[in-house]
Amino acid sequence: LNGSAEVRYHGNLNLRRDGLDGARLMSECRDVAFSLGSACASGSGRSSHVLRALGLSEKEARSSIRIGFGRYTTMEELEEAAEIINRAAAAQQLPVKG
């Protein structure tokens, strides 16, 4: 979890998995809406300045994803999204056979 677990907006979750390629994850999870940073930095190619201000390295910031949800988001939708994201993230961590 990036940021405070208690002092935060509860409709926004920013998570990091070491070694994750966030851009690759987005392309592999096209049915799940999430981002690599804020809307104001969308398309800039830069890592999140907020995550960098929190003390994350460039690599850590690029291994982070931002998930937003609202009052109409169901637990079932969250669980399904988490399953899809976790499966794709775990696949990135598999050793390359060659």
Side-chain angles (χ1 to χ4, degrees):
L1 177 65
N2 293 320
S4 171
E6 292 84 31
V7 183
R8 66 180 317 108
Y9 171 64
H10 294 286
N12 180 33
L13 189 60
N14 197 293
L15 303 169
R16 179 180 75 246
R17 186 169 185 163
D18 290 336
L20 181 73
D21 179 340
R24 178 177 158 195
L25 186 70
M26 282 190 77
S27 71
E28 293 171 347
C29 298
R30 294 185 186 271
D31 293 336
V32 180
F34 64 94
S35 67
L36 302 180
S38 64
C40 58
S42 177
S44 72
R46 297 184 314 257
S47 65
S48 168
H49 68 282
V50 174
L51 295 179
R52 299 299 308 276
L54 288 172
L56 273 65
S57 69
E58 180 72 19
K59 185 176 181 179
E60 290 171 326
R62 291 189 181 278
S63 295
S64 300
I65 63 169
R66 179 180 175 274
I67 303 169
F69 42 91
R71 63 181 170 178
Y72 299 115
T73 306
T74 67
M75 185 58 74
E76 181 178 303
E77 290 168 328
L78 289 173
E79 289 172 347
E80 181 180 350
E83 184 177 318
I84 292 167
I85 291 169
N86 281 331
R87 189 173 35 245
Q92 284 190 26
Q93 316 274 191
L94 293 175
V96 177
K97 294 180 182 178

